[in-house]
Amino acid sequence: MSDEKISETKINIINAAKKEFLENGYKDASLRHICKNAGVTTGALYFFFKNKEELLDTILGPLIDGYKKLVRSLFTKDGSGESQNGDSMMIEYLYKNREAAIILIDCCRGTKYETLLGTIYSGMKHGFESMFRAGGIDDVDGKLVEILASMKMKGYLNLLKSDYGTCELKKIAQSLGAYWDSGFFALVNVLKKK
Amino acid sequence: MSDEKISETKINIINAAKKEFLENGYKDASLRHICKNAGVTTGALYFFFKNKEELLDTILGPLIDGYKKLVRSLFTKDGSGESQNGDSMMIEYLYKNREAAIILIDCCRGTKYETLLGTIYSGMKHGFESMFRAGGIDDVDGKLVEILASMKMKGYLNLLKSDYGTCELKKIAQSLGAYWDSGFFALVNVLKKK
Amino acid sequence: MSDEKISETKINIINAAKKEFLENGYKDASLRHICKNAGVTTGALYFFFKNKEELLDTILGPLIDGYKKLVRSLFTKDGSGESQNGDSMMIEYLYKNREAAIILIDCCRGTKYETLLGTIYSGMKHGFESMFRAGGIDDVDGKLVEILASMKMKGYLNLLKSDYGTCELKKIAQSLGAYWDSGFFALVNVLKKK
Amino acid sequence: MSDEKISETKINIINAAKKEFLENGYKDASLRHICKNAGVTTGALYFFFKNKEELLDTILGPLIDGYKKLVRSLFTKDGSGESQNGDSMMIEYLYKNREAAIILIDCCRGTKYETLLGTIYSGMKHGFESMFRAGGIDDVDGKLVEILASMKMKGYLNLLKSDYGTCELKKIAQSLGAYWDSGFFALVNVLKKK
DNA sequence: AATGAATGAGGTTTCATTCAT
DNA sequence: TATGAATGAAACCTCATTCAT
């Protein structure tokens, strides 16, 4: 449908960059290595990308655009933004863009994307807090919420790193959902007794 | 008992190194910054440490020795190595050596300690697998186990990063224990039905 | 008379190059910037010009041809080449080709045109020397002459950088002429006393 | 008297840098060339200087400090700051620091020192304007003043580039002084008639 | 007539490391 | 013990230039 032809070289560079970012993180990724693996010289890279950061932007941009769109659509459907169904849609979406998603979550230390990740964490924490309130707990420890959020994110991350087919992925995601839900309700009960 | 007096300079270097490793990770840590913050020159650092790696070894060595000792003692007491009591002892131990523990878990990308971490993960996974077997599930998905282990480790890590007192730490650890246990049993039930 | 139609693209490139040379000097001028500002790609530039140097040649060539012609005509009219009238004709000529003239005088550090500038300086110095001889001074210090010449050239240069209309320009040029002449004769008197 | 020993290597680097700056200007100066000519590697340069700019600062700093001190002392002695005596003291001072002075005046395009040069030009222009007022001309053309100032500065610059002894320098400076003064008064007369 | 892609050298800077003293 | 000096490789990036189309 689209008649934009993306240069093969550019694709090679992007793929080599993805690999390098995944292996070493953004900061420790070497443009030289990327170019060598892509079979081009440094100058070629700089024909397609203004600098290292724009290379990262090119990889993460589409992922983030889609993510924002998905979040918006989830929020307009139901006010919570933290429904179980939303979770599964999110997982499916991220899984379709696995490499970029892993880079965003796990390989962006020290970049501007840390801020975005922080925002996402905030959203997750708000979700947990409203669930705690729904369970009758108003003064939940902030650090505990943070731990829960980070664990959930870590779960997502490792799910992305796996090689499941879409079907098996759903099963695992459901298993994880059961784990999280039961764990959460147990936690609520423990906290209520105090 | 020991009459080895550790030079104050060495201590300064180690402390500066811990801070730098925590902030930037091992690879992005700059020996120059460490030396500057320690108030010494590079030559001094290289008098005490053969190279950057040995500096990391010095920081992580005691932690790892103690860890191995603790694991051995837990295994000789009861065969599982994954008892609730073992968990809490482990948390307490790591919390006593928080800085080194965080460095080991979170700041060693690309170093030989990734292997050790892998071993620790293996241990955790074996623990989970034996618990699954005890719950009547023999063929649990390896990747699922890995996700559970990584989430638990992430929980530990964030616990270590907090600033709880020993007393509060226990409470949080218990809460997390409840979360993990309930989640786990729910998971067993889900998997049994299949 | 001539039926050579100069391509619009070529003109755009030349204009963009003039601007860039004026702002940054020849050496620090970037062909990329020039092309970007001209709205073409590097390939287009290299279709019209063999290299960066030829681009400069194209800009300075006509100026220099005209300059040589003017000098010849001045020399054939009267032998001095340094008459007041010659000065004013020269100023007018350069003012008509201001951009190129400024580039030649002020933006060619490290290029072959430094040699030409040197030749021009030599001409000016010969003029001064013959004026000194006419004033009865045969052994004037060469360095002093050089300073006088460089100052005069700097005066020209700043005149070119101004935005005077032709009429006002003449007034200023006359003022400067008075300055130079009076200064020169005072100088002759000082030197005679020694 | 002073017991600060400046490393020989540092001196070599500074000398090589001065030469390179003088020949190519600051921007086109190559640190690689400087290091090669100083007989060291790039790393050595960065032991002594934070970056290219600091290398320039080190060369120009003392010159500028002395310049400011001299200006202050001239202003406190007599209010004008533009006396003939001040001129000659300034020339002598600059001549003692010729290389740095030439670099400051002629090799700093595009650096922060352009601002300082601008300030110096402003001072010169103010001096000219007050002289014009003293001569009965209140509305002198700003551009004309600028041309006069730039010519004077160019005279200084070429004086600095010469190889006179202190004694001969004074003579030349006096000759130039006569040139400038007579020129100036002639100019005043021309402007009065209008 | 002009584009878009690619090269390779060189730019400034940071790094871990070494070594004479 | 520790300093200060120096190395050389590698980092990101820009440049003038070339070439197939």
Side-chain angles (χ1 to χ4, degrees), chain A residues 24-56:
Chain A
N24 300 104
Y26 173 77
K27 276 225 160 174
D28 291 335
S30 158
L31 295 185
R32 276 192 187 164
H33 292 166
I34 291 173
C35 288
K36 182 163 283 178
N37 289 336
V40 297
T41 56
T42 48
L45 189 150
Y46 279 88
F47 174 77
F48 292 104
F49 307 96
K50 210 181 70 190
N51 50 29
K52 196 180 182 182
E53 195 183 1
E54 196 179 283
L55 179 53
L56 182 60

Side-chain angles (χ1 to χ4, degrees), chain C residues 52-72:
Chain C
K52 195 180 183 182
E53 197 184 1
E54 197 179 283
L55 178 54
L56 181 61
D57 292 343
T58 306
I59 291 173
L60 294 185
L63 172 79
I64 290 167
D65 289 347
Y67 168 80
K68 286 183 177 166
K69 229 175 272 177
L70 181 57
V71 168
R72 260 196 305 274

Side-chain angles (χ1 to χ4, degrees), chain A residues 21-28 106-109 121 128 141-144 146-148 150-152 154-156 158-159 161-164 168 171-172 174-176 178-184 186-187 190-191 194, chain B residues 21-28 106-107 109 121 128 141-144 146-148 150-152 154-156 158-159 161-164 168 171-172 174-176 178-187 190-191 194:
Chain A
F21 289 160
L22 285 171
E23 280 173 10
N24 300 104
Y26 173 77
K27 276 225 160 174
D28 291 335
D106 211 27
C107 307
C108 285
R109 191 176 215 175
Y121 266 111
F128 273 111
D141 183 294
K143 190 73 197 175
L144 178 60
E146 199 169 312
I147 294 176
L148 292 179
S150 73
M151 282 171 51
K152 196 166 183 179
K154 188 74 174 186
Y156 280 166
N158 267 299
L159 215 49
K161 284 184 179 173
S162 68
D163 256 331
Y164 290 117
E168 269 191 300
K171 278 190 209 158
I172 289 267
Q174 280 174 0
S175 301
L176 274 181
Y179 179 89
W180 286 330
D181 286 349
S182 291
F184 180 78
L187 192 52
V190 166
L191 294 178
K194 292 187 188 173
Chain B
F21 289 160
L22 284 171
E23 281 173 10
N24 301 105
Y26 173 78
K27 276 225 160 173
D28 291 338
D106 210 26
C107 306
R109 190 174 215 171
Y121 268 111
F128 273 110
D141 183 292
K143 191 68 195 177
L144 178 60
E146 199 168 313
I147 293 176
L148 292 179
S150 73
M151 281 172 50
K152 196 165 185 178
K154 188 73 174 185
Y156 281 165
N158 267 299
L159 217 48
K161 284 184 177 174
S162 67
D163 256 329
Y164 290 117
E168 269 191 299
K171 278 189 206 160
I172 289 264
Q174 279 174 2
S175 300
L176 274 181
Y179 179 89
W180 285 331
D181 286 351
S182 290
F184 181 78
F185 286 120
L187 193 53
V190 167
L191 294 177
K194 294 188 188 174

Side-chain angles (χ1 to χ4, degrees), chain A residues 83-103:
Chain A
S83 73
Q84 202 58 33
N85 193 41
D87 272 21
S88 97
M89 287 181 71
M90 184 63 74
I91 288 182
E92 264 181 72
Y93 171 70
L94 295 177
Y95 204 78
K96 272 184 206 148
N97 307 274
R98 281 168 55 196
E99 285 182 327
I102 296 172
I103 291 173

